[in-house]
Amino acid sequence: MNLTRADQMAKAVLYEGYMLYPYRPSAVKNQQRWNFGVLYPQPYAEAQSGNDAWVMQTECLVRGGSDSTLEVRVRFLQLVARTLGELPLPLTELPTAGVPEHQAVGALSVEGRVYQPWQEAVEREIVLPVCRLNDLTLKVFPCNFSFPAEDQFEPVRDASSHIVGLILRQRIALWGTVELSAAELGDGVFRLRVKVQNLTPLASVSTSDRNGALLRSLASTHTVLGVEQGVFISSLDPPDDLREASAACLNVGTWPVLIGEEGQYDIMLSSPIILYDHPQIAAESSGDLFDGLEIDEILSLRIMTMTDDEKQEMRQSDDRARQLLERTEAMPDEQLMKMHGVLRGLRALQEEPR
């Protein structure tokens, strides 16, 4: 499956809402993140009264035959808790083993730079083995996945190169499964199902502790499906003879759309954000602003008008936010002008009958 053209859109979905303008941890809209495509541990999800889910299901129609094969990839972000520690006495070198003795702090100020707690993210991808479409009608193909726990720390040094603090990162082990199956509807049409489940135990974390549950969750979960020797049927605009079958597809927490160039029917993106078929990233976009629903020009201008203190907080909060700031500040005038007043296309105006 050639994902070169589709990968940019899938990446935009992966980081939608990662951090929103004004791109600072102190901003209200960044106090509660990860609202799209989150699969929580089952005990937490079942204890909530809202729409918090632990299962995501995609169903769509595909037309194929005995030579048709499918490739499925599930992508998500695994969250990493970034905390801070202050050393009782500065150290010149790290100990040969273990983490230096430290006191947990809510913020760490060193040489004019303020370090803050944050939830970072690591990209994850589960690639299922290529399957024959006909074989999927005979049995469910499960694919179990897991990612191990990991604790890391990074020394923070002062101007004299003494270690005065620590940045600690904790990643909780994750477990889950992806189930792939299909049902033949006749005339070479199949209903394809991909079910993703988060099977990570909640352990000692309370079912009311959202932050604890998030560290055991799959965030921004989405599925990319590709077919060889076959075509996907649009879920938004199926042909008349397949409208009823398409309407019967059950999608939970996600929605499949055709992706790639217009006229391309071999790749489907099942996204937690409702999109249209063949969505595109604007050619004028210089990089990801983590908000595909906004206008690049407006966000770029807003970033440029932030105060020095606001930019400093943005720069120190997250590597991706820092890169966004540096890219925007270095943007040449001609790049900004490309975003302004772009004409996408023309169509003939039909006169109303008199």
Side-chain angles (χ1 to χ4, degrees):
M1 176 168 53
N2 184 2
L3 289 177
T4 303
R5 295 179 177 177
D7 190 64
Q8 188 180 24
M9 178 56 63
K11 183 81 83 172
V13 170
L14 190 66
Y15 285 101
E16 177 73 17
Y18 176 83
M19 196 176 191
L20 298 176
Y21 179 86
Y23 303 110
R24 304 192 313 272
S26 61
V28 174
K29 65 174 68 175
N30 288 317
Q31 297 299 302
Q32 181 166 314
R33 299 152 72 209
W34 320 115
N35 294 321
F36 298 108
V38 179
L39 297 185
Y40 294 93
Q42 182 179 359
Y44 177 86
E46 292 180 344
Q48 310 309 309
S49 57
N51 295 320
D52 298 315
W54 66 280
V55 178
M56 175 180 283
Q57 178 173 291
T58 297
E59 285 192 349
C60 61
L61 302 183
V62 57
R63 192 187 299 274
S66 59
D67 295 331
S68 301
T69 58
L70 287 161
E71 181 180 338
V72 175
R73 303 183 181 199
V74 176
R75 294 174 170 176
F76 63 90
L77 295 177
Q78 180 178 6
L79 307 190
V80 180
R82 186 181 77 196
T83 56
L84 305 167
E86 187 174 29
L87 272 60
L89 294 173
L91 297 176
T92 56
E93 297 292 340
L94 290 172
T96 56
V99 183
E101 180 184 353
H102 62 276
Q103 175 69 39
V105 292
L108 185 65
S109 179
V110 179
E111 304 296 341
R113 176 170 182 177
V114 179
Y115 298 85
Q116 301 180 67
W118 190 241
Q119 283 184 341
E120 300 175 343
V122 177
E123 294 181 19
R124 297 301 193 193
E125 182 178 61
I126 302 104
V127 181
L128 278 68
V130 176
C131 299
R132 288 165 54 90
L133 183 56
N134 283 341
D135 293 342
L136 294 176
T137 65
L138 303 177
K139 64 176 182 177
V140 175
F141 279 73
C143 178
N144 299 323
F145 65 86
S146 64
F147 296 95
E150 185 176 12
D151 292 331
Q152 298 177 334
F153 71 91
E154 174 187 342
V156 178
R157 300 178 183 269
D158 62 14
S160 302
S161 293
H162 291 115
I163 301 170
V164 295
L166 300 172
I167 300 174
L168 302 106
R169 293 179 172 88
Q170 181 188 37
R171 198 172 66 213
I172 306 295
L174 294 181
W175 288 273
T177 185
V178 182
E179 296 179 349
L180 183 60
S181 62
E184 187 170 5
L185 305 182
D187 295 327
V189 176
F190 298 77
R191 182 177 63 245
L192 182 64
R193 174 185 294 170
V194 183
K195 179 182 287 188
V196 185
Q197 300 176 82
N198 182 0
L199 303 179
T200 305
L202 202 57
S204 59
V205 177
S206 167
T207 54
S208 62
D209 181 0
R210 182 175 183 270
N211 284 330
L214 278 171
L215 293 176
R216 294 158 175 82
S217 298
L218 286 55
S220 300
T221 311
H222 62 279
T223 304
V224 181
L225 308 93
V227 62
E228 293 282 350
Q229 303 298 319
V231 293
F232 287 110
I233 305 299
S234 170
S235 299
L236 291 171
D237 188 23
D240 290 341
D241 61 328
L242 292 177
R243 287 191 181 277
E244 186 175 343
S246 179
C249 290
L250 179 60
N251 288 282
V252 180
T254 188
W255 182 253
V257 295
L258 296 167
I259 195 169
E261 298 297 324
E262 289 285 347
Q264 184 175 352
Y265 297 94
D266 61 338
I267 301 178
M268 189 80 86
L269 170 65
S270 190
S271 163
I273 306 164
I274 296 178
L275 302 170
Y276 48 86
D277 282 337
H278 305 293
Q280 300 289 331
I281 300 293
E284 297 77 24
S285 296
S286 60
D288 195 353
L289 292 165
F290 311 133
D291 192 349
L293 300 180
E294 281 289 357
I295 300 173
D296 286 18
E297 182 186 23
I298 294 175
L299 285 177
S300 298
L301 290 172
R302 285 178 174 176
I303 292 170
M304 291 175 181
T305 59
M306 291 168 64
T307 67
D308 290 341
D309 288 343
E310 289 172 335
K311 289 182 179 180
Q312 184 72 352
E313 183 183 353
M314 178 179 174
R315 184 178 289 109
Q316 295 175 355
S317 64
D318 183 272
D319 283 344
R320 291 186 177 88
R322 175 183 54 78
Q323 293 167 8
L324 191 163
L325 175 61
E326 292 174 352
R327 185 179 67 242
T328 304
E329 290 187 317
M331 184 184 300
D333 291 342
E334 56 268 25
Q335 177 64 36
L336 188 61
M337 288 302 298
K338 285 182 180 179
M339 303 178 190
H340 182 70
V342 176
L343 184 63
R344 296 295 178 199
L346 296 172
R347 62 182 178 85
L349 179 64
Q350 296 182 350
E351 293 186 4
E352 295 183 1
R354 297 179 180 178

